[in-house]
Amino acid sequence: MPRRLLQRYMPRPETLKRQKSLRFMHHLLGDPSLWMLSRRSVGNAFMVGLFVALLPIPLQMVVAAFGAWLLRCNLPLSVSLVWLTNPLTIPVIFYFNYRVGAWLLDSPARHMPDRLSTAWIAEKMADILPALLTGSLVVAIIVGLLSNLIIRLIWRWQVARSWKRRARRRRQRQT
């Protein structure tokens, strides 16, 4: 069941291979282990994608693709999960990460100004950066590991439910 749902929304490897902008990754896109949908590959893809999404780094999609290649997990899923952090969600997520980092470092957290501006961020960056990086790393590790565990449990529950339905239908046909 989860496999069918995910296959409905995933791009096909052949479609991506035809893209001119992705020709440099042709050998990577041909690896079947990066397209497989199994409990392990999807769980690890969630772990990689969400871990990278919660880090304040540039080129998150490239880092997620490299992580998917290293762990041999589902490439399109791990890269698409990076978009959890988008221009609308970045301020909220990174402010939460900053607060967690400030709490862990036992430093006073700065409150967000009424109007967030790049000038304010540039002025306070030296004070903000250690707490932001610490908080982002801790939150990314926790969310990545939890997402992997939750996906594997949901997958397992779905498979068990499917087996029970099949057994019930088989018994009904026999009677």
Side-chain angles (χ1 to χ4, degrees):
M1 182 72 169
R3 183 176 293 134
R4 283 189 220 128
L5 176 69
L6 290 171
Q7 282 176 338
R8 194 177 312 158
Y9 296 106
M10 280 187 30
R12 301 268 181 246
E14 300 79 32
T15 307
L16 293 178
K17 284 180 189 176
R18 286 190 294 247
Q19 297 275 336
K20 288 182 181 180
S21 62
L22 298 176
R23 284 211 176 123
F24 73 97
M25 294 177 57
H26 183 72
H27 64 285
L28 179 68
L29 296 174
D31 187 357
S33 66
L34 297 176
W35 296 89
M36 192 174 5
L37 287 171
S38 67
R39 182 174 56 207
R40 185 192 137 284
S41 69
V42 172
N44 287 347
F46 265 80
M47 181 175 64
V48 168
L50 292 178
F51 176 80
V52 173
L54 295 173
L55 295 178
I57 57 173
L59 303 172
Q60 289 177 328
M61 291 175 66
V62 174
V63 175
F66 183 70
W69 177 76
L70 279 177
L71 292 180
R72 293 291 183 243
C73 59
N74 191 280
L75 176 72
L77 193 55
S78 63
V79 170
S80 64
L81 283 167
V82 167
W83 283 95
L84 170 74
T85 50
N86 57 60
L88 295 174
T89 61
I90 281 177
V92 175
I93 291 172
F94 287 168
Y95 184 67
F96 174 77
N97 291 350
Y98 165 71
R99 296 292 295 224
V100 170
W103 176 72
L104 288 171
L105 295 176
D106 200 26
S107 65
R110 299 196 180 275
H111 295 286
M112 287 192 60
D114 294 333
R115 295 198 74 188
L116 187 63
S117 66
T118 54
W120 182 85
I121 292 173
E123 180 182 315
K124 306 293 183 190
M125 188 53 76
D127 297 334
I128 293 172
L129 201 55
L132 176 63
L133 293 177
T134 302
S136 294
L137 190 60
V138 169
V139 170
I141 289 170
I142 291 170
V143 168
L145 291 174
L146 276 176
S147 68
N148 192 346
L149 177 67
I150 289 169
I151 291 299
R152 288 176 187 234
L153 289 173
I154 289 171
W155 195 288
R156 193 172 194 156
W157 174 73
Q158 287 277 357
V159 168
R161 196 174 88 178
S162 174
W163 277 97
K164 286 179 185 175
R165 282 185 191 159
R166 285 183 198 168
R168 193 177 321 126
R169 277 187 257 149
R170 229 180 258 133
R171 281 192 303 262
Q172 288 174 351
R173 275 189 248 143
Q174 289 174 354
T175 56

